[in-house]
């Protein structure tokens, strides 16, 4: 195994574990918040499970380009639009069936609550800092 393969093992295991734990099924849509290593591996895992469409939000063009290469169907540039409004537009007002937070940001962690419909799955693969709180309403 070379160093690149070795470096991707942990993000791949996190992405696969999150997808498996979420109970996501064929025919559901998914939203991935953050397109870093863990987000990309989550996208790959979702695609391997036949989930789609897959929406991905990030702040950086390069990460969104990589997300597209990994199989994302819809790219949402978080600097250029309201992510919530775009998700609602893409899902005809239904919200995401399952939301994966992979950025480790308190902003994206809070977004998971509003992005999905009530009773749907939210999976946190990123790590927020101690002391961060989420609005539970």
């Amino acid at each position: 195994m070379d160093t690149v393969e070795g470096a991707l093992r942990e993000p791949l295991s996190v992405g696969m574990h999150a997808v498996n734990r979420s109970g996501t099924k064929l025919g559901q849509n998914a939203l991935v918040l953050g397109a870093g290593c863990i987000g990309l591996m989550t996208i790959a895992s979702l695609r391997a499970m036949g989930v789609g469409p897959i929406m991905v939000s990030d702040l950086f063009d390069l990460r969104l380009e990589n997300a597209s290469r990994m199989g994302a169907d819809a790219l949402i540039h978080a600097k250029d639009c309201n992510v919530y409004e775009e998700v609602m537009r893409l899902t005809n007002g239904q919200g995401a069936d399952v939301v994966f937070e992979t950025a480790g940001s308190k902003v994206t962690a809070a977004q998971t609550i509003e992005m999905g419909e009530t009773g749907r799955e939210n999976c946190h693969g990123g790590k927020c800092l101690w002391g961060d709180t989420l609005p539970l309403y």
Side-chain angles (χ1 to χ4, degrees):
M1 168 184 350
D2 66 24
T3 56
V4 173
E5 289 172 340
L8 289 176
R9 281 186 146 195
E10 190 270 341
L12 178 59
S13 68
V14 171
M16 288 177 67
H17 183 66
V19 171
N20 287 332
R21 292 279 308 216
S22 73
T24 306
K25 298 174 184 74
L26 184 69
Q28 289 184 308
N29 69 55
L31 171 64
V32 179
L33 298 169
C37 286
I38 292 173
L40 295 176
M41 296 299 107
T42 302
I43 295 164
S45 299
L46 288 164
R47 186 56 63 208
M49 296 282 290
V51 174
I54 301 169
M55 303 166 281
V56 180
S57 173
D58 202 283
L59 294 169
F60 302 103
D61 293 330
L62 180 59
R63 287 184 174 192
L64 290 170
E65 290 169 19
N66 289 334
S68 179
R69 285 191 209 108
M70 293 302 289
D73 299 297
L75 307 176
I76 303 168
H77 202 299
K79 278 198 294 192
D80 296 338
C81 70
N82 180 305
V83 177
Y84 173 80
E85 290 175 3
E86 186 64 10
V87 168
M88 290 301 146
R89 185 187 72 75
L90 291 167
T91 61
N92 297 315
Q94 297 299 305
D97 292 324
V98 63
V99 181
F100 295 89
E101 192 290 315
T102 64
S105 154
K106 68 181 177 182
V107 172
T108 53
Q111 284 177 334
T112 63
I113 296 166
E114 66 183 25
M115 296 297 173
E117 280 294 306
T118 303
R120 295 188 182 172
E121 295 290 329
N122 291 311
C123 298
H124 292 258
K127 181 180 182 229
C128 293
L129 300 173
W130 292 107
D132 285 345
T133 59
L134 297 177
L136 300 175
Y137 45 92

